[in-house]
Amino acid sequence: MRKLLRSHFARVLCSKIFWTGLLFQAGTAVLLMTDTFRRASAFELMEGNGYSAEGGYNMADLFQKSMFHSVVFMGIVFAVFSSVFLGTEYSDGTIRNKIAAGHSRLNIYLAGFFTCTAAGMVQAAAGVAAELVTGFLLMGKPKVQAGQTVQIIIVMLFICMAYAALFTMAAMLLGSRTHAAVVNILLAAGLLFLAVFLSAKLQEPEMITNYVYMTEDKIVQAGNEMPNPNYVSGIRRDIYQLLMDVSPGGQNYVMTNSAYQGILRYPALLCIYSAAVTVISGAAGIFVFLRKDIK
């Protein structure tokens, strides 16, 4: 196993797709934080927009709410890297050579999973580090505690592990770099779109007003409240919430949009969900890979 990991990590350090993904994560983080700061600075010049100091919303608050925005893309970045990195093992005949050299299929599979997990964590960490440094330089110190930041980072690492397990399973079983890339990218995008859909449904208010208008004196007047027909309740709401919590894309989306408002209520449970996804997909992948006919 150590020899396999050593050779894998050596390949990662020389991998253009790995460094491209890392730079993409870091560059995207800088752009997102810079754009957030630019828009906030423009809004501060407008009276009554909620971003002025008089409105109780300053740059430290904005920085806190914008932390970890860059991780929204990490699933797609991991999908590309895992597919290309592991798919090359098949296209170059490396897996056959490893089996011929006496390495077990279990060790080969686990080495691929551990490598993709470590590479994904480094890429995600690069994005978060770039975002924090940019935000600190532009907005100052955020209003967060060290313990909260550590909790978010731990949850993020577990999400990386769940993503790596899913992408490793697809790449090791499909045996084609192109097919694996297509499947994994669609999987990552599908998980993200599912999270967006579930989040929109879960955020629907239970009651809505039938009309809202503004008077000539710029006073907002609201009508009577009525039940929202789009509100999700009962068992369907529980199912939607469970899918949101279990799915790596759902956790990723929650972390991106409300890191310090929602996810910190149950970080341990989210880590357990990610671990469960990792174990189940890993076990399924190993079970099939041990019986796969490697041509």
Side-chain angles (χ1 to χ4, degrees), residues 86-87 89-90 95 105 108-110 112-113 167-175 180 285 289 292 294:
L86 297 176
E89 297 268 293
Y90 278 99
I95 289 184
R105 294 196 180 200
I108 292 173
Y109 189 100
L110 290 177
F113 164 68
F167 299 150
T168 299
M169 178 179 65
M172 295 296 283
L173 299 186
L174 290 174
F289 183 71
K292 180 179 174 61
I294 300 177

Side-chain angles (χ1 to χ4, degrees), residues 67-68 141-156 259-260 263-265 267-268 271:
M67 293 171 68
F68 303 98
K141 185 178 179 181
K143 290 184 177 180
V144 295
Q145 297 178 357
Q148 292 177 322
T149 304
V150 170
Q151 286 182 334
I152 290 291
I153 291 175
I154 292 175
V155 172
M156 184 186 71
Y260 290 97
I263 199 171
L264 288 176
R265 292 178 301 175
C271 291

Side-chain angles (χ1 to χ4, degrees), residues 160-237:
C160 293
M161 188 170 59
Y163 270 133
L166 291 172
F167 299 150
T168 299
M169 178 179 65
M172 295 296 283
L173 299 186
L174 290 174
S176 169
R177 181 168 53 187
T178 303
H179 294 166
V182 172
V183 169
N184 281 336
I185 291 173
L186 289 177
L187 175 61
L191 290 174
L192 185 58
F193 288 141
L194 175 63
V196 173
F197 169 78
L198 294 175
S199 177
K201 289 295 184 181
L202 291 172
Q203 290 180 6
E204 286 283 350
E206 186 173 1
M207 304 295 293
I208 59 174
T209 54
N210 52 5
Y211 65 88
V212 177
Y213 69 94
M214 182 176 293
T215 65
E216 294 180 355
D217 298 330
K218 296 183 178 181
I219 300 176
V220 177
Q221 298 288 342
N224 298 324
E225 287 192 341
M226 58 182 294
N228 183 3
N230 296 320
Y231 179 74
V232 179
S233 60
I235 187 67
R236 189 161 65 128
R237 187 174 189 86

